[in-house]
Amino acid sequence: MTIRLLLVDDESLLRMAFRMVFEAEPDMEVAGEAGDGEEAARLARRLRPDVVLMDVRMPGVDGIEATRRIARDTPAARVLILTTFDLDEYAFAGLKAGAAGFLPKNTRPEDLLTAIRNVAAGEAAVSPRITRRLLERFAPQLMPGAPEQDERLAELTSREREVLVQVARGLSNAEVATALCLAEATVKTHLSRVLVKLGLRDRTQVVVFAYESGLIRPARP
């Protein structure tokens, strides 16, 4: 399968450098480029890329709002946020807006390529543990007020809710299986049902959902 990419950055030289890296890969092609978030959302609707490589700081519509629009209008396109630092408020905001993951801009090319392939395959670009560290750090100030109980939780069985909480804490399927005295295959089945019932795409979104719905609360400093 060829992974079709949309490159979004207001620096044309950076887009050119990314294009050279990606077009050297036999399983990737650059479907388009955008210099701002408005154009990114429009091109995503027209080009239907598999992965959108998204900068966050751009004039006009920024990368966070563009991610929100793409997640809403082109849900099959997976957004990978590029941030200045590995744990910052832009990464948090990007995940909350619907991004599949985030990476710092100084990520090595081979690691970036791996992340793109993972995201295109439906996996998260960052581990749930890293996502939880991010949420613990920024959720208190960026998610003010008491979390709202999500009505979709009523669709989950008690076991599915237990699996959701353990995954949101950053545990692997094997670790969840040990914690709940289940077979790993059973955990995978429960997690798949959780994703379908809640309309979530991956484990990273499970972590975000758990914090937004109040199932997990940020630790007090």
Side-chain angles (χ1 to χ4, degrees):
M1 182 190 76
T2 299
I3 301 171
R4 302 178 70 251
L5 298 164
L6 174 60
L7 310 182
V8 185
D9 198 293
D10 61 335
E11 295 186 22
S12 58
L13 287 178
L14 188 57
R15 296 199 309 269
M16 183 186 303
F18 278 137
R19 177 182 282 274
M20 292 176 62
V21 171
F22 299 143
E23 291 191 337
E25 298 299 309
D27 61 339
M28 295 183 185
E29 69 175 20
V30 177
E33 299 181 20
D36 59 64
E38 184 80 38
E39 185 181 18
R42 177 176 56 80
L43 286 179
R45 290 193 300 271
R46 180 166 66 85
L47 300 175
R48 303 288 173 176
D50 300 303
V51 177
V52 180
L53 201 62
M54 181 75 72
D55 186 26
V56 288
R57 300 185 184 185
M58 294 181 291
V61 175
D62 65 14
I64 304 304
E65 176 59 27
T67 296
R68 188 175 294 109
R69 294 182 187 183
I70 291 171
R72 180 193 65 203
D73 300 335
T74 320
R78 310 269 290 168
V79 178
L80 186 56
I81 294 281
L82 292 181
T83 64
T84 304
F85 304 103
D86 60 347
L87 292 177
D88 66 15
E89 67 273 20
Y90 291 106
F92 171 85
L95 293 179
K96 195 169 184 294
F102 63 90
L103 289 173
K105 279 192 169 183
N106 62 355
T107 297
R108 297 182 305 171
E110 56 266 34
D111 292 336
L112 176 59
L113 293 171
T114 297
I116 288 173
R117 292 185 176 105
N118 288 342
V119 165
E123 302 173 13
V126 291
S127 72
R129 280 189 173 88
I130 299 263
T131 302
R132 188 179 179 191
R133 281 176 55 207
L134 182 74
L135 289 168
E136 287 288 341
R137 181 171 175 182
F138 292 104
Q141 60 263 41
L142 296 179
M143 293 170 62
E148 296 183 4
Q149 184 77 5
D150 195 298
E151 61 184 15
R152 290 173 293 176
L153 286 171
E155 301 179 21
L156 302 182
T157 66
S158 58
R159 182 61 84 183
E160 288 167 351
R161 186 184 287 235
E162 288 176 337
V163 169
L164 184 157
V165 169
Q166 296 299 324
V167 169
R169 287 175 175 157
L171 273 62
S172 66
N173 287 347
E175 290 169 333
V176 175
T178 299
L180 300 181
C181 299
L182 298 172
E184 188 173 349
T186 302
V187 171
K188 291 180 180 178
T189 298
H190 283 312
L191 180 57
S192 295
R193 290 173 180 167
V194 167
L195 294 175
V196 171
K197 288 182 179 180
L198 299 181
L200 305 175
R201 291 185 292 184
D202 54 42
R203 301 172 79 94
T204 299
Q205 295 302 312
V206 167
V207 182
V208 175
F209 175 88
Y211 276 81
E212 287 186 321
S213 62
L215 284 177
I216 294 180
R217 297 182 182 275
R220 293 187 177 183

